[in-house]
Every structure is written in C-alpha cells, then in structure tokens.
Amino acid sequence: MIPTYNCARYLRETLKSVMAQDPGPDRMQIEVVDDHSTLDDPEVVVAEWAGRVAFVRQPENVGHTENFSTCLRRARGELIHLLHGDDVVLTGFYRQMERAFQQNGRIGAAFCRHIFIDGEGRWKGISPLEQRATGELENGLERLASEQRVVTPSMVVKRDVYEALGGFDDRLICSEDWEMWVRVAAHYPVWYEIEPLAMYRMHDASNTGRHIRSGEDITFTYRAIEMFIPYLPDSMASRVGRAAKITYAHAALRMARQVYAAGDAAAAGAQIRAALACSRSWTVLAHVGRLLSWAVWRRLSGKRL
C-alpha cells in the first residue's frame, strides 16, 4: 500500500522498485492512495502500470495519518507493507520479509535495516546494526521504545495484528509510526532482518521535514512517548520513558544548531523550546548552554545567519 501526497516526482522510482519484485496479482495487491495532492498528479505516474497498480484519491486532504489508516482499511493481504510514495525497496525485500513470517509464526511484524537517501537519491547514511544475526529482535520492546529505530518503509505487519491492536493514532501527526511499532512490540515478538532492503528519503517536503521549523516533530515525539509508556511493564516504563525523552531533547538541540547555521533562527528557537519541553535533565540543560554560547560566538565573530 503506497500513500502519497505531492510526491509524484519520486513515485515512478518507488513503483519501479516494487514492480521489479512483483510476484503477480494473485499474491500481492499494489495500490496507491493519494491524499488529494495539489502540486502534482500521481495518477499520471500510476497509469504507466494501468491494470496492475490501482489508484485511489481522497476526495479531500485528510492528513497523512488518516491516509495511512485508509491504506490499512483497503489492504486485502495477510501481510501489509506501507511504502511512502517517495521511498524505495531494494531487491529481495518482499522475499525476505515473507520468509520471516514463514519461519516464525509467533511474530507480529518484521523490519529490515534501512538506508537514508536525500532528494536526489544519494546515500546519507545507514541505520545501525541492531544485532549480529537475522531473527527475533532481542529485548525488542525495550529497544523499540527507547528510540525510533524503524522507518515505515522497512516494516511489514500482519493484517490481523493491525485488526487486533488498531491502526495509527490520529492524535499524532509525527511519530505515529513509532507509537505503532511499540504497541506491536508490547504484544508480539518482532523480527529483524540484518540486510538493508529499504531506502528512506529525507527531504524538506517530507512529513518530518515540514514539521522541523515549528518544532512539532519533537512535540509529537514527546506525545508519542507519553502515549506508549503505559504499554511498558512497570520494571522499565519510567526508566525507558525518561531516557527516550532525553534522547530526543538532544536530537532537537542538534537540529537547532544545524538550522541556525543554515540561517533559520526561528526554526532553531522552536527546536530549543521543544527540547526543553521534552526534558530538562542536567545533560539537556548543559547542551542548551553550549548551544547558546556557540550562537553568541557566531554573532560576535561576524558570521552571518
């Protein structure tokens, strides 16, 4: 299931990566669900695979979380893969993901290592190796709750898991996927594939990119943490929740430095405020102090915003 919104320029590459692994219509549904794009027309791209790839357009913009939910409601398969219309799967993704569920009937979901790419498809990095061998993710619940380790295009979830637990929570416009993966891990083992078989595109028009300037990316990350803390056993809830908030406060401060250096002081201020709302641990406060000192130094040394 491929949710899209104003990303038709990338959709052809996305669909090519899927069609190169197409096992046929009797084994895989391929459908693009567009959230009423206004800047482009993804239907024109989908028409290149007319008869094989279905296309549905929302009658009005419903937001990406509800568009994800529409994808889940329309999905007919036993396994559901949500692939953003600007992301890519590499050769072997569907074969390896299907094999995981065949090998272990206990798991509720499976994800693979992923590669970060920019708007032009250049590699920006690769996700850390979670464990040395493919298999059930060790200490899966705690690890998935401590940090967002999974990007949506790298994850496949059983249909009956979504039906049992519910879909993405529409109270979140960022980090809705993280809350979902922790919810899954609280009820089912999760499989990890060590091969990087998915590519996650990072660009200013992406959902996360759109919310960085306002600080909403961190605001909703904090909200997701608050929502999933009750899923955790008492032995880890407080410790893991606090550590996750500190992790993302520091992430916000690193982003503040980055956007300030790029000339966006307003975005830097929003990220600092979001960081302090997320955590006021001594390490976060010390980081804020270093960041402000650096910003003052830039101004005094004549470096322009």
Side-chain angles (χ1 to χ4, degrees):
M1 304 302 294
I2 304 174
T4 59
Y5 179 66
N6 290 341
C7 62
R9 66 188 182 279
Y10 299 119
L11 182 59
R12 182 173 290 102
E13 183 181 1
T14 300
L15 285 171
K16 282 182 177 179
S17 76
V18 174
M19 295 305 296
Q21 306 176 59
D22 179 18
D26 58 327
R27 298 201 60 228
M28 186 162 74
Q29 171 190 8
I30 307 173
E31 183 165 302
V32 172
V33 181
D34 181 60
D35 192 17
H36 203 81
S37 291
T38 56
L39 301 180
D40 54 37
D41 186 3
E43 189 171 12
V44 173
V45 179
V46 174
E48 297 177 23
W49 289 274
R52 179 63 185 99
V53 181
F55 179 81
V56 175
R57 192 193 310 273
Q58 299 280 11
E60 61 183 7
N61 183 262
V62 297
H64 82 277
T65 305
E66 175 56 28
N67 203 44
F68 281 8
S69 296
T70 299
C71 288
L72 298 186
R73 289 192 294 269
R74 294 186 60 84
R76 301 189 301 272
E78 295 177 9
L79 304 175
I80 300 178
H81 178 220
L82 288 176
L83 177 63
H84 301 138
D86 53 1
D87 293 333
V88 176
V89 285
L90 299 177
T91 301
F93 177 88
Y94 294 108
R95 180 179 66 251
Q96 291 298 95
M97 292 296 102
E98 184 177 34
R99 184 176 298 167
F101 293 94
Q102 292 171 343
Q103 289 181 1
N104 188 329
R106 299 173 58 247
I107 62 173
F111 73 101
C112 66
R113 201 175 183 193
H114 60 272
I115 297 163
F116 297 100
I117 58 174
D118 65 15
E120 285 68 50
R122 296 183 292 255
W123 282 35
K124 294 173 66 70
I126 187 169
S127 61
L129 189 64
E130 298 295 341
Q131 59 192 33
R132 298 183 64 85
T134 292
E136 279 192 29
L137 183 65
E138 299 170 5
N139 302 316
L141 177 57
E142 180 169 350
R143 295 176 75 175
L144 292 182
S146 65
E147 189 174 349
Q148 169 58 303
R149 301 171 182 273
V150 184
V151 295
T152 301
S154 72
M155 176 68 89
V156 175
V157 180
K158 282 183 177 177
R159 176 195 183 91
D160 59 12
V161 169
Y162 279 129
E163 291 175 345
L165 302 182
F168 296 90
D169 196 308
D170 60 11
R171 291 174 291 177
L172 297 170
I173 61 172
C174 287
S175 295
E176 76 293 330
D177 52 347
W178 188 17
E179 185 276 336
M180 185 76 250
W181 312 147
V182 177
R183 202 186 330 157
V184 171
H187 293 84
Y188 303 88
V190 174
W191 186 271
Y192 175 62
E193 166 58 55
I194 64 172
E195 291 298 319
L197 297 173
M199 303 179 80
Y200 180 73
R201 196 180 301 272
M202 303 175 68
H203 55 95
D204 291 342
S206 68
N207 182 58
T208 300
R210 289 193 296 270
H211 296 293
I212 285 174
R213 194 166 192 278
S214 65
E216 286 184 323
D217 59 327
I218 299 300
T219 298
F220 281 98
T221 294
Y222 174 85
R223 188 173 298 178
I225 295 168
E226 288 286 281
M227 289 168 62
F228 67 58
I229 284 175
Y231 308 160
L232 309 179
D234 293 342
S235 59
M236 72 169 70
S238 178
R239 171 176 54 84
V240 171
R242 181 176 182 274
K245 291 173 185 177
I246 291 173
T247 293
Y248 283 94
H250 284 295
L253 295 173
R254 290 192 296 272
M255 179 58 68
R257 182 176 180 131
Q258 180 180 324
V259 295
Y260 187 88
D264 195 338
Q271 288 290 316
I272 292 171
R273 290 190 295 273
L276 291 171
C278 198
S279 172
R280 296 204 176 196
S281 72
W282 71 267
T283 61
V284 170
L285 294 176
H287 193 164
V288 171
R290 293 193 302 272
L291 178 60
L292 294 178
S293 296
W294 170 80
V296 170
W297 172 82
R298 282 183 65 90
R299 280 191 173 275
L300 293 177
S301 63
K303 292 186 180 293
R304 298 180 60 188
L305 286 180

